[in-house]
Amino acid sequence: MWRATWIVTALCAATASAAAGIGVKDDLGNEVRLERPARRIISLSPHTTELLYAAGAGAYVIGVSNYSNYPPAAQQVASIGRIGAVDVEKILTLKPDLIVAWHSGNAATQLQKLRAFGIPVFESQPADYATIASSLERLAALSGTEREGNQAAADFRLRWQALSQTYRDRKPVSVFYQIWGQPLMTLNGKHMVSDVLRTCGGNNIFAGLPQLAPTVSIEAVIAADPDAILAPDDVKDHPLDNWRRFGKLKAVAADTLFTVNADWLNRPGPRILDATEEVCKILDTVRSRRKIK
């Protein structure tokens, strides 16, 4: 009798588990539920592509946005168009069972349209290291690759903690991070780049602005007079050279104008730790040249 009861209980538990499926929350707190692990995944931004591959789900990625150039295997996957205007019809023909999107980069109207077709959408918007680590775990759960994803998350946290320990007592360095020259644009304190700067002992001079990617004036930069000016290395015509005409700026006088690897720093994915190492070394150079002790 007890054996029959145990079998019935086990079957009921298995049935309930199957009915429950897989459920995680995305970065906006939205519940994303799947009946079974995703096997046809589309990534709508380069950083979500990197997260998926790092989480062990690369074999199940069937479509990626433009500029998804890492890891190299992602370059062999079908393109579904530009980040801000993906090809919805092509996405539908690929019959995905999960879409991983970039909340602030993909058009909200297009994401709504994809949801209207019943496709689960995970919206990614990491603003700190902890969210990147948990993203690896959550995406692994959705794709059934927990072993790889959880290990990647653990490795990420260990390396992040080591960097934090190494640079936590460094003297503050004020930084202007320029993402565009005309119009002059930067990022505020809620962006992942500011978290990288904080880890390295850097202060974003425009952290308090309300917009995620605000336009600022040359006069505002001059008034803030940062110790260093950084820019991504993918902007054409070397925009940092334009600052050299302002010889009284501390960053110009000390020659603390630097470019950083754009793919590492501007994408909130696993390689943000490579960006952190690069930025931390740059800020140590700034301290040396500016004699910040």
Side-chain angles (χ1 to χ4, degrees):
M1 182 68 178
W2 67 269
R3 181 178 177 82
T5 302
W6 180 86
I7 292 174
V8 170
T9 302
L11 287 172
C12 288
T15 302
S17 177
I22 305 165
V24 304
K25 288 188 177 181
D26 67 12
D27 290 352
L28 301 188
N30 301 317
E31 187 79 15
V32 181
R33 300 203 65 84
L34 301 177
E35 292 183 3
R36 59 188 64 84
R39 288 296 176 263
R40 299 185 63 80
I41 307 172
I42 289 181
S43 169
L44 301 190
S45 79
H47 91 265
T48 54
T49 299
E50 294 192 24
L51 284 169
L52 283 163
Y53 274 85
Y60 309 125
V61 176
I62 60 168
V64 297
S65 71
N66 61 344
Y67 301 114
S68 289
N69 57 3
Y70 189 86
Q75 299 179 48
Q76 308 303 316
V77 179
S79 171
I80 47 79
R82 295 182 294 113
I83 298 170
V86 297
D87 188 336
V88 173
E89 290 187 5
K90 184 170 185 178
I91 290 173
L92 295 176
T93 62
L94 290 172
K95 298 180 179 179
D97 50 20
L98 175 66
I99 289 175
V100 184
W102 178 19
H103 172 68
S104 64
N106 299 129
T109 53
Q110 289 195 310
L111 298 185
Q112 290 172 0
K113 186 178 293 186
L114 291 167
R115 283 192 174 99
F117 283 99
I119 306 171
V121 177
F122 179 105
E123 291 195 55
S124 174
Q125 189 69 24
D128 53 43
Y129 297 91
T131 304
I132 291 176
S134 71
S135 294
L136 293 169
E137 293 166 335
R138 287 174 285 151
L139 292 173
L142 290 173
S143 56
T145 57
E146 290 92 343
R147 181 176 179 179
E148 298 94 328
N150 293 347
Q151 184 61 57
D155 292 343
F156 183 93
R157 290 189 180 100
L158 283 174
R159 188 178 168 198
W160 163 40
Q161 290 166 3
L163 285 167
S164 299
Q165 289 288 328
T166 299
Y167 293 96
R168 65 179 181 177
D169 295 324
R170 294 294 200 272
K171 293 297 183 181
V173 174
S174 59
V175 179
F176 171 52
Y177 184 63
Q178 175 180 318
I179 61 169
W180 203 252
Q182 294 182 348
L184 188 60
M185 296 181 69
T186 187
L187 298 169
N188 75 358
K190 294 182 179 180
H191 195 280
M192 182 73 217
V193 166
S194 287
D195 206 30
V196 171
L197 291 174
R198 285 189 289 270
T199 299
C200 299
N203 294 325
N204 178 354
I205 62 172
F206 293 115
L209 294 181
Q211 302 91 348
L212 190 66
T215 298
V216 296
S217 66
I218 291 175
E219 292 75 15
V221 177
I222 292 173
D225 198 12
D227 294 313
I229 299 176
L230 276 59
D233 63 4
D234 62 350
V235 177
K236 295 179 180 179
D237 301 324
H238 233 296
L240 291 181
D241 289 339
N242 296 332
W243 292 105
R244 298 193 184 280
R245 57 195 171 105
F246 302 106
K248 293 185 178 180
L249 273 175
K250 289 186 291 189
V252 175
D255 192 23
T256 51
L257 310 174
F258 296 92
T259 58
V260 294
N261 188 303
D263 288 353
W264 291 355
L265 186 56
N266 290 350
R267 299 179 184 181
R271 293 192 296 168
I272 200 71
L273 295 176
D274 296 325
T276 304
E277 288 188 348
E278 181 182 34
V279 170
C280 287
K281 289 176 182 177
I282 286 173
L283 295 195
D284 271 352
T285 299
V286 174
R287 292 182 185 95
S288 175
R289 292 184 187 177
R290 292 274 305 126
K291 296 181 172 58
I292 299 173
K293 299 180 180 180

